[in-house]
Amino acid sequence: MGIARYGLLPLFFVCICGFATAQNRLSADVTVRQVHKGKSLRVEKQVFYSSNGNLVVHFTYPQEYYMITNRLGETSVYQPKVNEVMQMNDQSMSTETELLTVFMSPSYADLGLTKLGFVLGKVEKDGTDQVKTYTPTHVDDKAIGKVVVVCRDGNPIYCAFYDQSGNIMKKTYYSHYVELPVMTFPTLVTQIAYNHAGDSVIKREEYRNIRTKDFPQDALFDYRVPSNAKRVTPFGK
């Protein structure tokens, strides 16, 4: 999360006040697939988001654990198998930079960049698409030279982070948008990140079973770590 990973990702969007009055909770099943140097990894998780900024993520595969975080970056990661919890307080973990929160903003088309300290430099047209270029101002990561966001019909479909030399550091594609009550959401997010050695990490997130109401009784919006969990840093296992 956070600007340390170039401020994206992740990754719902509607005016916060509208979301809070019409529907204040959202859940989804998410599959994450990552490929790096020929090796693949699949992660299954369930996300439970509340409009107050609280987020509960239940990872179910390949390992079960829970992550609870909020807008302040106060985060708990709990492993039920060993009854251990690791706690952190890091603004980079804030749900403000999560995809769920970014797209809830009225200005979601900038992917939260202005909130992270970027300034809109120029806007160009590429056919019917709108191409926006942002430059960093009060951004902690000095390696970033600019960010380019492409919007189609008002929705972001592409974002690229460039370094100071003009090389792409990371690019993300947003697709398969769906219309939900008072919101639109890209259910498929594909990210390609590059390192200094020229290698790339490809990550693909697919959202399914998105709910804004009629949640099952076992929904985890109010999940709490057991009071008898052992506090560790880092995990013992």
Side-chain angles (χ1 to χ4, degrees), residues 140-183:
D140 293 335
D141 195 332
K142 303 304 180 182
I144 302 173
K146 67 176 181 178
V147 184
V148 175
V149 177
V150 180
C151 292
R152 181 173 298 167
D153 298 325
N155 296 320
I157 61 171
Y158 174 78
C159 177
F161 281 76
Y162 293 80
D163 64 18
Q164 296 288 348
S165 299
N167 301 310
I168 292 182
M169 305 166 68
K170 182 178 69 171
K171 55 186 178 182
T172 307
Y173 299 88
Y174 304 87
S175 62
H176 293 68
Y177 275 86
V178 295
E179 296 288 339
L180 299 170
V182 301
M183 65 177 69

Side-chain angles (χ1 to χ4, degrees), residues 12-14 19 23 26-28 177-187 207 209-212:
F12 296 125
F13 31 73
V14 61
F19 184 87
Q23 50 191 25
L26 183 150
S27 69
Y177 275 86
V178 295
E179 296 288 339
L180 299 170
V182 301
M183 65 177 69
T184 307
F185 186 70
T187 59
Y207 290 76
N209 302 325
I210 302 173
R211 294 175 180 264
T212 57

Side-chain angles (χ1 to χ4, degrees), residues 100-121:
L100 306 175
T101 306
V102 168
F103 277 93
M104 282 172 57
S105 168
S107 58
Y108 70 86
D110 74 358
L111 294 170
L113 290 169
T114 54
K115 197 170 186 178
L116 290 167
F118 290 84
V119 173
L120 179 61

Side-chain angles (χ1 to χ4, degrees), residues 96 139 235:
E96 288 292 304
V139 178
F235 288 125

